[in-house]
Amino acid sequence: MRFVIQRDHLLQSVQDVMRAVTSRTTIPILTGIKIVATEEGVTLTGSDSDISIESFIPREEDDKEIVEIKQTGAIVLQAKFFSEIVKKLPTDTVEIDVQNHLQTVIRSGKSEFNLNGLDAEEYPHLPQIAEENLFRVPTDLLKALIRQTVFAVSTSETRPILTGVNWKVENNELTCIATDSHRLALRKALLETEVEGKHNVVIPGKSLTELSKTLDDTAEKVDIVITENQVLFKAKHLLFFSRLLEGNYPDTARLIPNDSKTDVVLNAKEFLHAIDRASLLAREGRNNVVKFSTVEDYAIEVSSNTPEIGKVVEEIQSQSIEGEELKISFSAKYMMDALKALEGSEIQVSFTGAMRPFVIRPMNDDTTLQLILPVRTY
Amino acid sequence: MRFVIQRDHLLQSVQDVMRAVTSRTTIPILTGIKIVATEEGVTLTGSDSDISIESFIPREEDDKEIVEIKQTGAIVLQAKFFSEIVKKLPTDTVEIDVQNHLQTVIRSGKSEFNLNGLDAEEYPHLPQIAEENLFRVPTDLLKALIRQTVFAVSTSETRPILTGVNWKVENNELTCIATDSHRLALRKALLETEVEGKHNVVIPGKSLTELSKTLDDTAEKVDIVITENQVLFKAKHLLFFSRLLEGNYPDTARLIPNDSKTDVVLNAKEFLHAIDRASLLAREGRNNVVKFSTVEDYAIEVSSNTPEIGKVVEEIQSQSIEGEELKISFSAKYMMDALKALEGSEIQVSFTGAMRPFVIRPMNDDTTLQLILPVRTY
């Protein structure tokens, strides 16, 4: 294998596939990046066996030559060293040249590296996925779907299924749900393409986080293919595979209350900052819990009190309060996470009593909701 | 005590004095910030007993009111909470009001904090320093003096004196020297003011690092007063005290060779990047050591080789090589630290054989030098 490549294209691809590479793997060859040169271009692959990322660099793009293939072939190079080397090479073009015994020479200007390669034949094969039943989502919407739900997955392995996000496709609608059993995040989106059949799968939260980092904020479409145990995201020159979590995701529909007894409309940013300040003196005690109560003149009060340190009271003017008076306590962290995830400057918080889960929605937008379980303190 | 203050001035002062505050102190009151309000303005103090920082906020500046003093007095507030609160307050002005029993109310807009204060009488007094024999250094020069030497102090406590920087004042010249016994950094500066007598002290490296962060990059002057066991840096509205290290600093003058056998002139940036790349494959083995050798046609070669991973050879064109041929090995990290510390695009490296310390100087600048001890490998 021998080719000359534009360094910035190589670097971008290396950084993309590095997201899947971990040094903590039981399969030594997975600490490497697989590089395959064909007449069409160069393909890089990284994998930790849960996530696999394949990035393709074409020979030409927009009539500019990116890669000059001198000899086709394949090699696996230690990801940690290879990525550092590519980042620091002195010139705009790089030559990669596999010699005898897997010895790989990397040349750039007057800099010459010799790396011990591994046999590409021994690199595990990526899952073969038949591209049936694919559906298509714009990249920016996909990133929003992930951002608004993935933070709510469980970080504890006691119920592994909750470390993933439940993706359901039905009637041309995609619903993403995450919960750690103390709070829940839900986001829906209508699909532009007709989807046959239904899907109900659980994608590891970590996979979605890495996917989101790999994708640029563009309106280009990502093709999504769901199979029994894998999901594949196909963007331009990029394939992102993730295994799915096994097991049944709990039925979350019954958790979300249909009616409410107190509805408060608030400016999301003002509310977020007030909660943030109120939590400053709550952090040390009571697991970061703040108190929320309706007060006179359409105002609400958020407060916390840790006797050793002090107390804080925040008053926020609401746009409207309807229904019963209310005193309730909840985790400031969960509320801040939820408010950051919601788009829109005005939100409605709907309570059904101090002991029941409550729901936060942006005004005039029923595609997304956040649910939080209160904490018993009053 | 009661005053109303501009939040941005308060925040800046809090962040400055916070540099001296540590949560790991055996004196509980030092986890607090002392706040004193007088008719002239507000003074904040933070200290870990090694470093003490005092920041003054005047009542007025440039004919604008910054503080409105309603009642003079003093209080100590928990630094961790107070600094977080000030950072997040919602409005441009803040009222601080000490009530009965040291209870302190902080008001900003509709946000109200109640903090348990501590008695300011119990806060340790700062050292009293007679302002004799002070000398004056522009802030930007002072920061350069620190930046070019402090990285070379020892991080090991086996010889505590080497964790400081040796400051010598003699004949209106200030010399700063740091060494960890494997390398040495030296920077001299002529003082504009006449200084009576001599000084020879050792300032903890940590103090200088914190001082440097506290000072803005301006050409304003900093007054420096050295006493037997303290040094005081006086900038505008800021006092920075540090204790000095006790003990005798080693005589470093004899370490610096006067003659040389091989002199190489190089572009500092090119050399730095080549060393950086050469060290990529050296990091795992032999303590990050690279080999350096003169080759034909005024070139030098920097290389490293770790058989399990691979090897790298970098060739750099020198401006000139004079004297004997040379092969030498040294720590890539020390060389990169030294090159980053030197200002100027061309540097001269002067060797006196493969086993002797060598010196790196910017061309046409004899105020600064870096010395490195080689490693025996050839």
Side-chain angles (χ1 to χ4, degrees):
Chain A
M1 185 184 84
R2 189 164 155 233
F3 60 84
V4 177
I5 190 165
Q6 297 295 316
R7 194 182 69 96
D8 52 351
H9 282 85
L10 179 61
L11 180 59
Q12 182 61 56
S13 277
V14 169
Q15 287 174 339
D16 283 345
V17 303
M18 277 297 281
R19 295 195 188 282
V21 179
T22 166
S23 53
R24 289 161 303 171
T25 171
T26 50
I27 309 167
I29 203 164
L30 290 186
T31 61
I33 290 175
K34 183 166 83 161
I35 304 168
V36 179
T38 62
E39 293 298 339
E40 286 72 45
V42 174
T43 304
L44 273 63
T45 309
S47 176
D48 67 357
S49 72
D50 283 347
I51 301 173
S52 301
I53 303 176
E54 196 178 287
S55 173
F56 176 67
I57 306 164
R59 272 178 58 174
E60 283 187 15
E61 197 169 56
D62 305 332
D63 282 333
K64 277 190 196 151
E65 184 174 56
I66 302 169
V67 191
E68 187 193 344
I69 305 286
K70 302 201 169 174
Q71 201 188 330
T72 59
I75 191 78
V76 175
L77 296 177
Q78 285 303 310
K80 187 179 137 200
F81 296 105
F82 184 59
S83 63
E84 282 295 304
I85 290 168
V86 172
K87 203 184 293 172
K88 292 183 172 172
L89 287 175
T91 57
D92 291 343
T93 58
V94 182
E95 180 174 359
I96 296 183
D97 181 3
V98 177
Q99 302 180 335
N100 297 331
H101 306 298
L102 310 172
Q103 281 297 316
T104 307
V105 179
I106 303 167
R107 279 185 209 96
S108 166
K110 293 197 165 179
S111 175
E112 185 172 305
F113 287 80
N114 249 281
L115 281 185
N116 306 340
L118 297 163
D119 187 354
E121 290 294 317
E122 299 184 5
Y123 196 88
H125 290 287
L126 293 193
Q128 294 298 311
I129 290 186
E131 298 193 9
E132 290 165 359
N133 275 330
L134 64 79
F135 58 96
R136 198 160 277 184
V137 177
T139 306
D140 44 7
L141 173 61
L142 177 59
K143 292 187 74 156
L145 286 163
I146 294 172
R147 187 179 66 79
Q148 296 183 313
T149 52
V150 77
F151 67 90
V153 300
S154 173
T155 53
S156 142
E157 284 291 335
T158 50
R159 286 181 72 188
I161 197 80
L162 294 187
T163 64
V165 182
N166 183 205
W167 277 38
K168 290 191 279 199
V169 180
E170 196 174 341
N171 302 329
N172 288 341
E173 191 176 53
L174 169 63
T175 307
C176 306
I177 299 168
T179 180
D180 60 5
S181 76
H182 302 291
R183 45 131 168 222
L184 176 147
L186 179 149
R187 171 70 204 258
K188 289 189 241 184
L190 278 178
L191 300 175
E192 293 166 21
T193 43
E194 196 81 17
V195 189
E196 280 175 45
K198 293 184 195 180
H199 292 291
N200 188 342
V201 296
V202 185
I203 306 174
K206 182 173 176 294
S207 301
L208 292 170
T209 304
E210 293 304 327
L211 171 66
S212 188
K213 289 184 202 157
T214 311
L215 298 172
D216 294 328
D217 272 307
T218 63
E220 284 197 51
K221 304 278 198 288
V222 176
D223 286 348
I224 303 173
V225 190
I226 294 175
T227 70
E228 202 181 334
N229 51 22
Q230 288 278 338
V231 56
L232 165 62
F233 299 89
K234 288 182 69 172
K236 193 186 172 199
H237 299 322
L238 190 94
L239 301 182
F240 187 106
F241 298 83
S242 170
R243 76 177 168 98
L244 298 174
L245 292 178
E246 283 172 36
N248 290 319
Y249 201 80
D251 177 20
T252 51
R254 57 180 179 76
L255 277 177
I256 301 164
N258 293 316
D259 52 354
S260 64
K261 291 183 181 165
T262 313
D263 290 290
V264 184
V265 177
L266 290 163
N267 177 290
K269 208 167 160 184
E270 256 179 53
F271 189 37
L272 173 64
H273 290 163
I275 298 276
D276 191 10
R277 286 190 295 272
S279 74
L280 287 177
L281 301 190
R283 201 159 292 162
E284 302 280 293
R286 283 180 183 246
N287 195 22
N288 210 7
V289 169
V290 294
K291 295 184 178 192
F292 173 107
S293 56
T294 53
V295 291
E296 283 178 357
D297 297 327
Y298 298 107
I300 59 156
E301 205 177 84
V302 180
S303 63
S304 75
N305 185 2
T306 305
E308 320 82 89
I309 305 163
K311 64 181 178 186
V312 48
V313 179
E314 295 279 337
E315 194 180 299
I316 307 144
Q317 204 56 42
S318 72
Q319 320 284 323
S320 75
I321 300 183
E322 280 172 23
E324 300 174 4
E325 285 181 15
L326 178 82
K327 285 180 191 293
I328 192 168
S329 296
F330 50 78
S331 152
K333 179 180 182 303
Y334 290 168
M335 180 57 91
M336 287 193 284
D337 285 348
L339 292 172
K340 283 176 197 160
L342 294 175
E343 285 161 359
S345 59
E346 301 215 325
I347 51 132
Q348 171 165 326
V349 195
S350 302
F351 301 93
T352 38
M355 290 300 129
R356 299 284 312 278
F358 58 91
V359 173
I360 311 137
R361 287 188 187 86
M363 292 295 281
N364 311 317
D365 175 4
D366 61 356
T367 64
T368 175
L369 74 81
Q370 302 284 336
L371 175 142
I372 296 174
L373 271 69
V375 175
R376 195 182 294 252
T377 58
Y378 277 107
Chain B
M1 186 183 85
R2 189 166 156 232
F3 60 84
V4 178
I5 190 164
Q6 296 295 317
R7 193 182 70 97
D8 53 350
H9 282 84
L10 179 61
L11 180 60
Q12 182 60 55
S13 276
V14 168
Q15 286 174 340
D16 283 345
V17 304
M18 276 297 281
R19 295 196 187 283
V21 179
T22 165
S23 54
R24 290 162 302 172
T25 170
T26 50
I27 309 167
I29 202 162
L30 290 186
T31 60
I33 290 176
K34 183 166 83 161
I35 305 168
V36 179
T38 63
E39 292 299 339
E40 286 72 44
V42 173
T43 304
L44 272 64
T45 308
S47 176
D48 67 358
S49 72
D50 283 347
I51 301 173
S52 301
I53 303 176
E54 196 178 288
S55 172
F56 177 68
I57 305 163
R59 273 178 57 174
E60 284 187 15
E61 199 169 54
D62 305 332
D63 283 335
K64 278 191 197 150
E65 185 175 58
I66 302 169
V67 191
E68 186 193 345
I69 304 287
K70 301 201 169 174
Q71 200 188 332
T72 60
I75 191 79
V76 174
L77 297 178
Q78 284 304 310
K80 187 178 137 200
F81 296 106
F82 183 59
S83 63
E84 280 296 302
I85 290 168
V86 172
K87 201 184 294 173
K88 292 183 171 171
L89 287 174
T91 58
D92 290 344
T93 59
V94 182
E95 181 176 356
I96 297 183
D97 181 3
V98 177
Q99 301 179 335
N100 296 331
H101 307 297
L102 309 171
Q103 280 297 317
T104 306
V105 179
I106 303 167
R107 279 185 209 96
S108 166
K110 292 196 167 180
S111 174
E112 186 173 304
F113 287 81
N114 248 280
L115 281 185
N116 307 339
L118 297 164
D119 188 352
E121 291 294 316
E122 298 184 7
Y123 196 88
H125 290 286
L126 293 193
Q128 293 299 309
I129 290 185
E131 298 192 9
E132 291 165 359
N133 274 331
L134 63 80
F135 57 96
R136 200 160 276 182
V137 177
T139 306
D140 44 7
L141 173 60
L142 177 59
K143 291 187 75 157
L145 287 163
I146 295 172
R147 186 179 66 80
Q148 295 183 311
T149 53
V150 76
F151 67 89
V153 301
S154 172
T155 52
S156 141
E157 284 291 335
T158 50
R159 286 181 71 189
I161 197 80
L162 295 187
T163 62
V165 181
N166 184 204
W167 278 38
K168 290 192 278 198
V169 180
E170 197 174 340
N171 302 328
N172 289 339
E173 191 176 53
L174 168 63
T175 307
C176 307
I177 299 167
T179 180
D180 61 4
S181 77
H182 301 291
R183 43 124 169 230
L184 176 147
L186 179 148
R187 170 71 203 256
K188 288 189 245 184
L190 277 179
L191 300 175
E192 292 165 23
T193 42
E194 195 80 17
V195 188
E196 282 176 44
K198 294 183 193 177
H199 293 291
N200 187 344
V201 297
V202 185
I203 306 174
K206 182 174 175 294
S207 300
L208 292 170
T209 304
E210 293 303 326
L211 171 65
S212 189
K213 287 185 203 156
T214 312
L215 298 172
D216 294 328
D217 271 307
T218 64
E220 285 198 52
K221 303 279 197 290
V222 177
D223 287 348
I224 304 172
V225 190
I226 294 174
T227 69
E228 204 181 335
N229 51 22
Q230 287 279 336
V231 55
L232 165 61
F233 299 89
K234 289 181 68 172
K236 193 185 174 197
H237 299 323
L238 190 93
L239 301 182
F240 187 105
F241 298 82
S242 170
R243 77 177 168 95
L244 298 174
L245 291 178
E246 284 173 35
N248 290 319
Y249 200 79
D251 177 20
T252 51
R254 60 180 175 75
L255 278 177
I256 302 164
N258 293 316
D259 51 355
S260 64
K261 292 184 182 164
T262 312
D263 290 289
V264 184
V265 177
L266 291 163
N267 178 290
K269 209 168 160 183
E270 256 179 53
F271 189 37
L272 174 63
H273 291 162
I275 298 277
D276 191 9
R277 285 190 296 271
S279 74
L280 286 177
L281 301 190
R283 201 160 290 161
E284 303 280 292
R286 284 182 181 242
N287 195 23
N288 209 7
V289 169
V290 295
K291 295 185 180 190
F292 173 107
S293 55
T294 53
V295 291
E296 281 176 0
D297 296 328
Y298 298 108
I300 59 157
E301 206 178 82
V302 180
S303 63
S304 74
N305 185 1
T306 305
E308 319 83 270
I309 306 162
K311 64 181 179 186
V312 49
V313 179
E314 294 279 338
E315 193 180 301
I316 308 145
Q317 204 56 40
S318 72
Q319 319 286 322
S320 75
I321 300 184
E322 281 173 24
E324 299 173 4
E325 285 181 14
L326 180 81
K327 285 181 192 290
I328 192 169
S329 297
F330 49 78
S331 152
K333 179 180 184 302
Y334 290 167
M335 181 57 91
M336 287 194 281
D337 285 349
L339 292 171
K340 283 177 198 160
L342 294 176
E343 286 162 355
S345 59
E346 301 216 323
I347 51 132
Q348 173 164 325
V349 194
S350 302
F351 301 92
T352 38
M355 291 299 129
R356 301 283 311 278
F358 59 92
V359 173
I360 310 136
R361 287 188 186 86
M363 291 298 279
N364 312 316
D365 175 4
D366 60 356
T367 64
T368 176
L369 76 81
Q370 302 284 336
L371 176 143
I372 296 173
L373 271 68
V375 175
R376 194 182 296 251
T377 57
Y378 276 107

